[in-house]
Amino acid sequence: MIRDTRAVGWEMAAVEGQDLSALDDGEFFGYGVDAGTGCFHDAAAHESFPGAEDDDGPLWSALDAVVDGPQVFLARGEGGHTLAGFTSGWGDGCYPTWIGRDADGRVTCFVTDFFVVPPPEGTSA
């Protein structure tokens, strides 16, 4: 949660160069998951976790500290940046993230759909 206000609208998250209007029904932009673990972090924090590609550093230390159950953890990187990590539902794949906005249009939360809960009957995914 980013802000303690109710989300009244949702939009698919996209990065620079991704055009949401180019998507057909049932298509989405998402992020790739490997090792069954996804995460949220600000783009400015991307370089704050050295060693992530080498199974070393603050990201792996936080992940290794998770003992049992679903993996939910915070990793503290360089420059005061934080990464929130979590188990990714069905595991590896590509998953869309949604941005929740409150009545004033401010971001209130981010939610990744790991396709664990089927959509209500009569609706599309």
Side-chain angles (χ1 to χ4, degrees), residues 19-31:
D19 181 2
L20 297 176
S21 68
L23 297 174
D24 288 328
D25 286 344
E27 292 184 324
F28 60 86
F29 293 116
Y31 64 90

Side-chain angles (χ1 to χ4, degrees), residues 27-87:
E27 292 184 324
F28 60 86
F29 293 116
Y31 64 90
V33 169
D34 191 19
T37 304
C39 69
F40 288 141
H41 67 79
D42 187 287
H46 189 67
E47 301 299 323
S48 298
F49 295 91
E53 298 296 323
D54 303 321
D55 299 346
D56 192 20
L59 174 61
W60 290 99
S61 295
L63 185 58
D64 288 343
V66 177
V67 181
D68 291 318
Q71 297 173 343
V72 177
F73 62 92
L74 289 176
R76 304 216 186 277
E78 295 176 352
H81 293 287
T82 303
L83 174 149
F86 36 82
T87 304

